[in-house]
Amino acid sequence: MKKLFNNSLILKIMPLILVLSLVFCGTFAVSQPLKIEINKGIIEPLPLALPSFVAENNLSEIGENLTSVIIDDLYGTGLFKIIEDRTQAYEITNFNKPIRFGDWKTINSQALLVGSVSSNGTTNITVKFRLFDVFSETQIGNGLKFSGPKKGWRRIAHKIADEVYSRLTGEQKYFDSRVAFVAHKGPKNNLKKRLVLMDYDGANQVFLTNEEDFLVLAPRFSPNGNKLLFTSYESGFPQIYLLDIRSRTKIILQENPGEMSFSSSFSPNGEDIVFSLSAGSNTDIYKLNIASNSRSRLTSSVAIDTAPSFSPDGRKVVFESDRSGTQQLYIMPSSGGNAKRISFGKGSYGTPFWAPTGNLIAFTKQNEGVFHIGIMSSEGLEETLLTTSFLDEGPTWSPNGRVIMFTRETSGSGGSSTLYSVDVTGQNLKPVRANSSDPSWSKLLN
Amino acid sequence: MKFFFRVICMIMTALIFACTNDIEETNGNPSTINGLIDFEEVEYFTEVIGQTVLFDIDKADLNDSARYILISQAVWLNENNEYTIFITGYADEQGTRGYNLALGAKRSAAVRDFLILNGVKEDRLQTSTFGKEKPLKICSSEKCYSANRRAVTAIRRD
């Protein structure tokens, strides 16, 4: 066990207790509720008016920051057109004052989010919001109130944006989540790599290892978000470590002479991990129960079997193998046994990652000199390629299964790695963080 | 046979340095010419025989030139028993991170197995992989890729 770092400010506010309570009662029967249908592919963004949150008690900076983060979250989905009219006619000065819907209709907003931030003089803030359908002049869902420390204002903003996103799309939430990844520094042939945590949008970065530490690769969140699996060269060989994020203590999970382990991921209940183990010239997939340290072998082909990922129900494991001559995707029971090939397109397939919704598998595809991030059904049907570039790899799913984050590497001696995200529809491709690779997206935070 | 190999190696060394080094005329003893490396020296292993063997795309099979180098490595290692041997396999950047780690492991194992077949004691050998981490050359063309698909034999005196 080793202490890596002192706890940072960020982790001190992790146990942020957000009190969620109803402000306004009543339900709002709307005959045809305002909703974006987001499965059509290209959609027309929904015009959402988002005036600055009403800030009381000298909290105007926090009010602006809250508004800004909510706008970034919602605009970042590609599903909303944010109407930011800051002229006086569209300024909300009193959170409780009735809405003059006519004003908002004239600027063609279909939805309206109003909010306020206040403080009772302590270090805590209270943030309220209400969401309206402008044309039917009704409130969408209940008004809500969040309370928490001032330092946690970003999480409150993400939680409000999640509520708005969820109410207007019918999808599960995903903004209040984190990403573990590997930060790069230096040229390709002498990269320094560090393990880092950040909010899904790149804020609140926390470095978990030092530049002068050993090479680290491929972090993976535990289901409860408290732990990370990763590969480190601390022993001189690639081995899997388990890091407790809060205490910064880490343990090596597998250390046997002549064995190398990597490409690890958790089971849905967090009790087991699956990983690749190289012994001699053969690489197979193994399962390890963390508590008992008991290990079982799941594959025993002479081929390279790697990149295992559990199904959300824990009953199956998808992995890649070159047993057929090229890398392809296979599914087997999580106890091992017969593996069924599910990829049959041109080229080779790797790094499969089962979606949290269970119905899709994301993967890396290499064909005719380029790489793609793609998705297919968990039966291997309906393959859809979402991206194309010199080198895209390693997809990870947002908590709601709507967005995929991955690594894009550019070519040549000056090439570098950047985290990108893309919607599951193939829309809204955008960079998230430069000089980074190997993202692992957490579940929704508690 | 071993004596014959050593003579061949010494001649190779002399030829290499005769070609590559400008030897100044001196009145000294010819055996003290700078650059001539004795078979026993580590530099003989690292510079004359060579530590690196290369692989074809997505392969871990040893080609003829790799086998030639590894036979020479084995002869040297069998003569110099005091060294522990570390073999590390690498891959080019084409391919995913995990697969390339496995491919590097397969390449280092191929070198290890070949050295064992040629008489090197198994307990002296350790293997590792860096996959596509730590490329030797960093252009994105076959010229660099071919240099990066490698296994390197490093030695350390115990």
Side-chain angles (χ1 to χ4, degrees), chain A residues 38-39 165 171 174 397-398 400-404 422-425:
Chain A
I38 62 177
N39 288 310
Y165 170 86
E171 296 290 329
Y174 77 94
W397 289 93
S398 65
N400 66 350
R402 290 299 315 182
V403 183
I404 290 170
V422 65
D423 197 88
V424 75
T425 58

Side-chain angles (χ1 to χ4, degrees), chain A residues 67-81:
Chain A
T67 313
S68 173
V69 167
I70 294 167
I71 288 173
D72 288 347
D73 282 349
L74 295 171
Y75 180 75
T77 64
L79 302 172
F80 300 94
K81 177 185 167 192

Side-chain angles (χ1 to χ4, degrees), chain A residues 200-417:
Chain A
Y200 98 99
D201 60 356
N204 287 332
Q205 293 183 15
V206 182
F207 287 81
L208 300 173
T209 59
N210 293 315
E211 211 171 274
E212 59 274 16
D213 285 354
F214 305 94
L215 178 64
V216 289
L217 304 170
R220 286 282 177 225
F221 268 111
S222 62
N224 65 11
N226 293 338
K227 291 186 167 67
L228 283 178
L229 286 171
F230 65 103
T231 302
S232 168
Y233 279 77
E234 185 166 338
S235 69
F237 304 91
Q239 306 281 9
I240 298 167
Y241 289 76
L242 180 64
L243 175 75
D244 183 276
I245 293 172
R246 194 164 299 177
S247 69
R248 306 293 170 88
T249 53
K250 66 180 165 61
I251 54 171
I252 187 166
L253 287 183
Q254 287 289 286
E255 190 174 28
N256 297 306
E259 291 182 352
M260 292 169 272
S261 55
F262 47 91
S263 288
S264 53
S265 64
F266 275 98
S267 65
N269 64 12
E271 292 174 2
D272 299 314
I273 67 164
V274 279
F275 61 101
S276 286
L277 190 144
S278 289
S281 62
N282 195 13
T283 297
D284 278 310
I285 291 170
Y286 286 71
K287 183 160 72 172
L288 177 79
N289 182 273
I290 296 173
S292 67
N293 200 32
S294 62
R295 188 170 93 178
S296 57
R297 185 173 182 166
L298 302 188
T299 69
S300 52
S301 79
V302 295
I304 290 175
D305 296 337
T306 187
S309 166
F310 272 99
S311 60
D313 65 8
R315 294 167 64 184
K316 296 173 187 168
V317 170
V318 61
F319 64 99
E320 68 172 83
S321 173
D322 64 356
R323 61 185 65 180
S324 71
T326 59
Q327 290 160 269
Q328 300 294 336
L329 306 185
Y330 295 79
I331 290 177
M332 65 180 165
S334 57
S335 55
N338 281 342
K340 182 187 168 197
R341 180 172 163 178
I342 60 162
S343 62
F344 290 96
K346 284 182 181 173
S348 59
Y349 296 76
T351 72
F353 201 125
W354 218 306
T357 48
N359 58 337
L360 294 172
I361 289 169
F363 55 84
T364 303
K365 176 166 174 161
Q366 191 178 359
N367 188 34
E368 296 180 348
V370 292
F371 282 73
H372 309 274
I373 299 298
I375 51 171
M376 61 173 67
S377 77
S378 52
E379 288 80 41
L381 305 172
E382 299 168 42
E383 176 179 320
T384 308
L385 300 180
L386 306 178
T387 72
T388 303
S389 93
F390 166 73
L391 208 174
D392 286 348
E393 69 166 306
T396 180
W397 289 93
S398 65
N400 66 350
R402 290 299 315 182
V403 183
I404 290 170
M405 201 177 288
F406 61 96
T407 305
R408 172 165 289 184
E409 193 169 321
T410 51
S411 67
S413 56
S416 63
S417 291

Side-chain angles (χ1 to χ4, degrees), chain B residues 102-134:
Chain B
L103 184 58
K106 204 168 174 179
R107 285 171 175 163
S108 61
V111 168
R112 184 200 58 186
D113 293 347
F114 192 80
L115 291 176
I116 290 170
L117 284 176
N118 281 279
V120 180
K121 291 278 190 300
E122 189 172 352
D123 60 10
R124 296 175 63 198
L125 291 154
Q126 291 187 48
T127 59
S128 187
T129 173
F130 273 106
K132 64 177 173 176
E133 313 302 314
K134 300 186 181 295

Side-chain angles (χ1 to χ4, degrees), chain A residues 15-310:
Chain A
L16 174 73
I17 301 167
L18 288 163
V19 180
L20 176 65
S21 63
L22 291 178
V23 190
F24 300 100
C25 297
T27 54
F28 301 88
V30 179
S31 54
Q32 287 185 316
L34 184 63
K35 190 183 171 194
I36 308 177
E37 179 52 65
I38 62 177
N39 288 310
K40 287 180 181 168
I42 298 170
I43 60 115
E44 187 66 31
L46 181 115
L48 168 68
L50 222 163
S52 292
F53 275 30
V54 182
E56 300 164 4
N57 304 338
N58 299 323
L59 295 169
S60 58
E61 188 181 345
I62 287 185
E64 287 300 325
N65 290 341
L66 281 163
T67 313
S68 173
V69 167
I70 294 167
I71 288 173
D72 288 347
D73 282 349
L74 295 171
Y75 180 75
T77 64
L79 302 172
F80 300 94
K81 177 185 167 192
I82 308 296
I83 300 174
E84 289 182 83
D85 195 324
R86 295 286 181 255
T87 55
Q88 203 172 5
Y90 301 103
E91 190 181 345
I92 300 287
T93 53
N94 184 340
F95 178 71
N96 293 317
K97 207 171 161 184
I99 301 295
R100 288 165 48 166
F101 288 104
D103 293 347
W104 301 98
K105 284 178 192 168
T106 59
I107 55 170
N108 295 318
S109 60
Q110 291 185 25
L112 167 67
L113 177 69
V114 298
S116 72
V117 54
S118 59
S119 171
N120 58 5
T122 67
T123 55
N124 281 5
I125 52 171
T126 297
V127 185
K128 302 173 188 171
F129 82 91
R130 291 193 292 179
L131 180 65
F132 297 96
D133 179 338
V134 171
F135 283 90
S136 69
E137 302 189 2
T138 53
Q139 188 167 322
I140 303 169
N142 295 319
L144 290 178
K145 178 172 79 175
F146 296 86
S147 294
K150 275 182 193 168
K151 288 169 189 158
W153 66 269
R154 290 193 72 96
R155 281 201 62 193
I156 295 176
H158 289 316
K159 281 179 174 290
I160 293 172
D162 266 331
E163 283 291 334
V164 174
Y165 170 86
S166 182
R167 291 179 190 189
L168 292 177
T169 63
E171 296 290 329
Q172 300 293 311
K173 301 161 186 174
Y174 77 94
F175 302 128
D176 186 25
S177 58
R178 309 202 85 193
V179 174
F181 65 99
V182 174
H184 297 193
K185 189 176 176 185
K188 264 187 183 179
N189 57 349
N190 190 26
L191 275 180
K192 304 292 182 194
K193 295 193 171 187
R194 302 172 69 181
L195 209 55
V196 192
L197 280 179
M198 65 179 185
D199 294 353
Y200 98 99
D201 60 356
N204 287 332
Q205 293 183 15
V206 182
F207 287 81
L208 300 173
T209 59
N210 293 315
E211 211 171 274
E212 59 274 16
D213 285 354
F214 305 94
L215 178 64
V216 289
L217 304 170
R220 286 282 177 225
F221 268 111
S222 62
N224 65 11
N226 293 338
K227 291 186 167 67
L228 283 178
L229 286 171
F230 65 103
T231 302
S232 168
Y233 279 77
E234 185 166 338
S235 69
F237 304 91
Q239 306 281 9
I240 298 167
Y241 289 76
L242 180 64
L243 175 75
D244 183 276
I245 293 172
R246 194 164 299 177
S247 69
R248 306 293 170 88
T249 53
K250 66 180 165 61
I251 54 171
I252 187 166
L253 287 183
Q254 287 289 286
E255 190 174 28
N256 297 306
E259 291 182 352
M260 292 169 272
S261 55
F262 47 91
S263 288
S264 53
S265 64
F266 275 98
S267 65
N269 64 12
E271 292 174 2
D272 299 314
I273 67 164
V274 279
F275 61 101
S276 286
L277 190 144
S278 289
S281 62
N282 195 13
T283 297
D284 278 310
I285 291 170
Y286 286 71
K287 183 160 72 172
L288 177 79
N289 182 273
I290 296 173
S292 67
N293 200 32
S294 62
R295 188 170 93 178
S296 57
R297 185 173 182 166
L298 302 188
T299 69
S300 52
S301 79
V302 295
I304 290 175
D305 296 337
T306 187
S309 166
F310 272 99

